[in-house]
């Protein structure tokens, strides 16, 4: 009796499971058929196409599992996660007496360590004028940003410091492990999603829907390319350290002996300086007079003309005051006839 009841129970459970799976399949089929007509949303179609048990959390779990060493061979291993990714950089300033020799030694050292110049700048220390002067004192400077293998970073910095007098050095280290492994996890998720897009495109028959999926796939591939580029940059920075160096030309200072002048020397220097300053004053005064001479002549001519005009006006006024009063000619003739 117990065997019969157990058998009946197992049969009923199997029937219920079959009904549930058929209902899920029917709902998925309805969703696909509905989207094949309108394709109002890509997300609904993708959910219908893939297994209904799939979710984004599964991607994260799979990525975490692979990063912990339980994934495939292409994923991250435990050894890679434990390894720190360090980017070394150093700023150095070195003063040298023999500039050309120091620069040559620096470049030879860089070649021997397998490094390369990323950018460099040379300045001869002269002025920006287009005129050349032999008496112009110049101080040459060479600055460069170089990349050296991280394994030889300390040895290269020590060799560079020996070029001359090390005036300053500032070193720093940046750990980029977290960023790199975050990018790796994101890349695995995106690549898995890319494969599902490609598989989805293989079964799409509607052109309009295929175009929309291709657009999403293209955007995803662009993001994958950006992630790979950033990961390559990080790998390069970890493999080759940064060294910013400045090589400055200096000259050795030689103090001049202090000399004390006697009274006669001081008197001679004072007289000579006074005579020289007086001669310079006369020269300046002569140049001022020569420069103002045309204006002085012009002003003199104007003053002379004004004086002549005023004298002429005064003479005319004086002549009018001295002239005699007019005489009555008719009365004068009568008096003469009477006589």
């Amino acid at each position: 009796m117990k065997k019969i009841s157990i058998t009946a129970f197992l049969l009923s459970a199997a029937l219920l499971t079959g009904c549930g799976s058929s209902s899920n399949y029917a709902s998925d089929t309805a969703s696909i058929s509905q989207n094949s007509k309108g394709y109002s949303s890509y997300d609904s179609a993708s959910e219908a196409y893939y297994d209904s048990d799939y979710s984004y959390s599964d991607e994260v779990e799979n990525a975490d599992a692979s990063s912990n060493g339980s994934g495939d061979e292409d994923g991250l291993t435990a050894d890679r996660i434990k390894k720190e990714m360090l980017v070394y950089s150093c700023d150095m300033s070195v003063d040298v007496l023999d500039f050309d020799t120091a620069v040559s030694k620096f470049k030879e050292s860089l070649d021997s360590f397998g490094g390369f110049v990323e950018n460099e700048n040379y300045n001869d220390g002269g002025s920006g004028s287009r005129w050349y002067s032999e008496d112009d004192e110049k101080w040459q400077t060479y600055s460069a940003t170089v990349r050296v293998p991280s394994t030889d970073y300390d040895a290269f910095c020590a060799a560079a410091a020996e070029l001359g007098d090390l005036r300053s050095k500032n070193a720093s280290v940046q750990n980029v492990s977290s960023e790199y492994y975050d990018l790796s996890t994101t890349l695995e998720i995106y690549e898995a999603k890319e494969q599902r897009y490609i598989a989805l495109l293989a079964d799409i028959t509607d052109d309009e829907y295929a175009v929309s999926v291709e657009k999403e796939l293209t955007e995803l591939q662009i993001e994958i390319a950006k992630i790979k580029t950033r990961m390559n940059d990080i790998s390069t920075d970890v493999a080759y350290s940064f060294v910013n160096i400045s090589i400055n030309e200096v000259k050795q200072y030689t103090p001049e002996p202090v000399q004390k002048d006697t009274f006669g020397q001081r008197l001679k220097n004072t007289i000579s300086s006074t005579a020289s300053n007086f001669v310079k004053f006369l020269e300046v005064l002569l140049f001022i007079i020569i420069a103002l001479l045309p204006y002085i002549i012009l002003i003199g001519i104007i003053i002379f003309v004004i004086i002549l005009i005023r004298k002429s006006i005064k003479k005319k006024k004086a002549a009018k005051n001295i002239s005699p009063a007019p005489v009555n000619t008719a009365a004068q003739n009568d008096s003469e006839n009477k006589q």
Side-chain angles (χ1 to χ4, degrees):
M1 185 67 181
K2 292 182 179 180
K3 292 183 179 181
I4 296 173
S5 60
I6 292 172
T7 304
F9 175 76
L10 293 175
L11 290 174
S12 61
L15 290 174
L16 291 175
T17 303
C19 293
S21 60
S22 61
S23 61
N24 289 333
Y25 176 78
S27 60
D28 292 344
T29 306
S31 178
I32 295 173
S33 61
Q34 181 180 358
N35 287 321
S36 63
K37 297 179 180 178
Y39 302 107
S40 60
S41 173
Y42 168 74
D43 294 337
S44 61
S46 61
E47 291 175 358
Y49 177 79
Y50 299 118
D51 188 2
S52 59
D53 294 334
Y54 177 81
S55 63
Y56 178 78
S57 61
D58 295 334
E59 287 185 350
V60 177
E61 292 176 358
N62 293 332
D64 292 339
S66 61
S67 63
N68 289 326
S70 60
D72 55 7
E73 295 179 355
D74 296 333
L76 296 176
T77 62
D79 294 336
R80 290 181 61 187
I81 290 179
K82 292 178 181 179
K83 181 180 178 181
E84 291 183 341
M85 305 187 68
L86 303 179
V87 178
Y88 296 89
S89 61
C90 179
D91 297 332
M92 305 178 63
S93 178
V94 182
D95 292 347
V96 297
L97 294 174
D98 192 349
F99 178 80
D100 295 333
T101 302
V103 173
S104 298
K105 287 183 178 179
F106 172 74
K107 292 185 176 180
E108 290 175 0
S109 176
L110 182 63
D111 292 337
S112 65
F113 281 102
F116 60 92
V117 177
E118 195 168 76
N119 61 72
E120 61 182 351
N121 181 35
Y122 167 77
N123 189 352
D124 67 349
S127 62
S129 174
R130 296 176 64 87
W131 300 96
Y132 174 75
S133 176
E134 294 183 354
D135 298 332
D136 187 13
E137 191 172 12
K138 298 180 180 180
W139 305 85
Q140 301 179 86
T141 302
Y142 173 81
S143 59
T145 299
V146 300
R147 307 291 294 273
V148 294
S150 298
T151 54
D152 300 325
Y153 167 76
D154 293 330
F156 177 80
C157 291
E162 297 296 329
L163 294 174
D165 184 13
L166 180 62
R167 302 305 302 271
S168 64
K169 180 179 179 181
N170 183 18
S172 62
V173 181
Q174 181 183 6
N175 192 336
V176 294
S177 302
S178 298
E179 181 184 1
Y180 186 85
Y181 295 129
D182 287 344
L183 290 172
S184 299
T185 302
T186 305
L187 179 62
E188 290 181 358
I189 295 173
Y190 281 5
E191 287 179 340
K193 193 173 182 179
E194 179 188 18
Q195 295 301 322
R196 293 197 302 274
Y197 276 136
I198 295 173
L200 179 62
L201 280 174
D203 295 336
I204 295 176
T205 57
D206 186 86
D207 294 337
E208 183 178 355
Y209 184 53
V211 170
S212 65
V213 175
E214 288 178 354
K215 181 180 179 181
E216 296 290 337
L217 178 60
T218 301
E219 294 177 355
L220 182 62
Q221 290 174 340
I222 291 174
E223 293 298 324
I224 291 174
K226 291 180 180 179
I227 293 174
K228 288 183 178 179
T229 301
R230 177 54 185 161
M231 292 177 68
N232 290 333
D233 292 340
I234 293 175
S235 299
T236 302
D237 293 343
V238 170
Y240 286 86
S241 301
F242 294 86
V243 177
N244 302 312
I245 190 169
S246 176
I247 301 176
N248 309 307
E249 181 185 19
V250 295
K251 296 180 180 179
Q252 188 172 5
Y253 174 73
T254 303
E256 297 180 356
V258 179
Q259 297 180 355
K260 295 183 178 179
D261 296 336
T262 62
F263 175 78
Q265 291 175 341
R266 292 197 299 271
L267 180 61
K268 180 182 178 181
N269 293 334
T270 302
I271 294 173
S272 176
S273 176
T274 303
S276 177
N277 292 333
F278 182 71
V279 172
K280 290 181 180 178
F281 170 74
L282 293 178
E283 290 179 356
V284 173
L285 181 61
L286 178 61
F287 292 149
I288 292 174
I289 293 173
I290 293 174
L292 296 178
L293 185 61
Y295 303 99
I296 294 173
I297 294 173
L298 179 61
I299 293 173
I301 292 173
I302 294 173
I303 294 173
F304 179 73
V305 172
I306 292 174
I307 292 173
L308 289 179
I309 293 173
R310 292 184 66 181
K311 286 183 177 180
S312 175
I313 293 173
K314 287 181 178 179
K315 286 181 180 180
K316 289 182 179 180
K317 289 183 178 180
K320 288 182 180 180
N321 293 332
I322 298 173
S323 61
V327 181
N328 191 351
T329 56
Q332 185 177 3
N333 291 333
D334 291 340
S335 60
E336 289 179 354
N337 291 331
K338 288 180 181 180
Q339 294 176 0

